[in-house]
Amino acid sequence: MKFFIDSANLEEIRQVAEMGLVDGVTTNPSLLAKEGKGFKTTIQEICAMIDGPVSAEVVTSDNAEQMLKEAHIVAGWHPNVVVKIPFGPEGMKAVKKLTAEGIKTNVTVLFTVTQALIAAKAGATFLSNFVGRVDDLSGEGMVAVRDTVNMVHEYEFASEVLVASVRSPQHIVESVRCGAQIATIPFKILAQMYKHPLTTSGIEKFTEDWNKSGLNFD
Ligand code: G3P
């Protein structure tokens, strides 16, 4: 499974770049607004730190022509930029054209397998299925992910399923069970994935026993 980091925070991205486990980055207008730095500068700085797909989202959602203009601007910032397109009829027109031009796309705010099917048919590179926002409403966000992974395999689409709106390590466990190709993970959740109380206590015990033993590497 590929790990993307869901962040526009340059310090977080620097830290995950050092971990060496992160394969790409997803941003969105809310994450960028939170950081308050320039859109282009932020995306270019991210591209300099992570050698992989970096999603930059268009802000128009109801006009394919305008979406294409914005898409061409962000795609011109760095070869690794993937254009993130909000799902909808205009967005899918834009995805079809961008795919024909060889520009990679990440279709976002997907909640159902039927939406994902349309996006896959339009040629989306990544299908961003949001899970946490469904769980927040007492739904089961992973159901659509499971259906979408099966749909992509069954019909042999080239699109990859990207689990987004991740709220806990449990979402990663379920993503693995579904065979999702990618999860985009907030920094805090990635840090939690390293932790287990038995790992901590196990390491402490090994250290304690070793220190008492008088043994060394000679
Ligand atoms: O990048 C899109 C997605 O991951 C948003 O997550 O937490 O705002 O639902 P969230």
Side-chain angles (χ1 to χ4, degrees), residues 53-71:
V54 175
S55 291
E57 188 162 338
V58 302
V59 289
T60 302
S61 57
D62 57 357
N63 179 324
E65 211 174 303
Q66 180 58 25
M67 292 171 95
L68 284 167
K69 275 189 198 150
E70 294 171 10

Side-chain angles (χ1 to χ4, degrees), residues 17-158:
E18 277 175 13
M19 288 175 182
L21 298 176
V22 170
D23 306 290
V25 181
T26 53
T27 68
N28 63 38
S30 306
L31 291 171
L32 285 152
K34 200 166 83 179
E35 300 308 321
K37 303 211 173 105
F39 187 13
K40 180 178 178 179
T41 320
T42 305
I43 295 296
Q44 286 180 328
E45 285 194 38
I46 294 172
C47 289
M49 287 191 274
I50 299 280
D51 185 19
V54 175
S55 291
E57 188 162 338
V58 302
V59 289
T60 302
S61 57
D62 57 357
N63 179 324
E65 211 174 303
Q66 180 58 25
M67 292 171 95
L68 284 167
K69 275 189 198 150
E70 294 171 10
H72 288 129
I73 293 171
V74 298
W77 290 343
H78 192 279
N80 286 350
V81 169
V82 171
V83 183
K84 205 170 182 188
I85 302 275
F87 180 75
E90 292 298 303
M92 295 313 93
K93 282 187 212 166
V95 168
K96 193 120 187 100
K97 290 207 172 113
L98 292 166
T99 304
E101 292 171 26
I103 294 175
K104 290 186 175 166
T105 56
N106 175 357
V107 175
T108 188
V109 281
L110 295 173
F111 290 92
T112 66
V113 67
T114 44
Q115 291 178 323
L117 175 59
I118 292 168
K121 284 177 72 70
T125 314
F126 303 118
L127 304 170
S128 276
N129 199 306
F130 284 28
V131 294
R133 293 186 191 191
V134 177
D135 291 1
D136 291 346
L137 300 177
S138 313
E140 282 187 60
M142 291 308 299
V143 172
V145 172
R146 200 169 303 119
D147 289 346
T148 300
V149 169
N150 290 338
M151 176 271 287
V152 163
H153 284 316
E154 186 67 27
Y155 298 105
E156 298 180 352
F157 284 113

